[in-house]
Amino acid sequence: GMGFVSNSAVDPCDRLYAQHWDGVAGGFSEGPNYGKLGVLDPMTLQVNTIGPNNYNGGELTGTGDGRLYEFAGSPSSKLIQFDKSNAQVIETLPFNNFPLTSAFAFAFWGGDFYFFTEGNVPYSKVTKLDYDQSDGGGKALTVVNAMAPIRIVGAGVSTCAPVLPPR
């Protein structure tokens, strides 16, 4: 997985981050140092490793204020925030009974995360995480569309997407 992330809230320039997956059939895995987080060097077009992490496969997304997140984990998925400079985990939010599927993606918009997981093929299920808790129910997952009319396997997000909910 990959995702563009702005440098910071005051520096809108962005970088492309990438998560390692070994490509072995049977899905994604989790364990100590199973994966690597990297960043694309725009001059050499090479992905440079920032550091190891515990996820072999996952999707990345960023926020307009420069935060980097991953949707990964096995057997249940997690939302992980990484320090972009050294791949250290800043926060982990586990999701019970919310597994990754063979087709998944996620995006950040207006203070919340949207997860696209495989439902009944060829449909995707869209689940919202009220990350900023602006809906009043805590950091809760809510299915917003059980059968989106397409199979979503990637979700690019502009680093200009709003960080706060619209007023």
Side-chain angles (χ1 to χ4, degrees):
M2 321 182 254
F4 283 99
V5 184
S6 61
N7 291 332
S8 71
V10 295
D11 181 355
C13 292
D14 54 17
R15 300 183 75 189
L16 181 61
Y17 291 83
Q19 171 62 46
H20 166 265
W21 179 54
D22 64 13
V24 174
F28 305 104
S29 54
E30 177 180 343
N33 298 321
Y34 272 29
K36 295 178 257 183
L37 184 66
V39 64
L40 180 73
D41 181 324
M43 299 311 235
T44 65
L45 300 180
Q46 298 294 310
V47 176
N48 297 319
T49 298
I50 298 169
N53 65 27
N54 294 344
Y55 306 98
N56 178 32
E59 286 291 336
L60 300 174
T61 198
T63 64
D65 58 1
R67 294 174 286 161
L68 172 64
Y69 290 88
E70 181 169 24
F71 179 40
S74 177
S76 287
S77 62
K78 298 163 184 61
L79 177 67
I80 307 105
Q81 181 184 4
F82 288 107
D83 181 316
K84 297 179 298 189
S85 67
N86 59 18
Q88 294 298 303
V89 173
I90 295 171
E91 176 187 29
T92 301
L93 183 59
F95 302 126
N96 293 324
N97 302 313
F98 188 50
L100 298 180
T101 57
S102 60
F104 67 95
F106 84 124
F108 178 86
W109 191 90
D112 297 326
F113 289 96
Y114 293 84
F115 302 92
F116 309 96
T117 54
E118 194 168 49
N120 295 325
V121 176
Y123 304 103
S124 285
K125 179 173 73 170
V126 182
T127 305
K128 175 184 170 183
L129 172 65
D130 182 18
Y131 189 74
D132 64 2
Q133 304 180 58
S134 62
D135 295 344
K139 288 187 178 180
L141 289 170
T142 306
V143 174
V144 293
N145 190 331
M147 293 182 62
I150 58 174
R151 186 174 187 224
I152 301 166
V153 296
V157 177
S158 169
T159 56
C160 297
V163 175
L164 300 173
R167 295 191 186 260

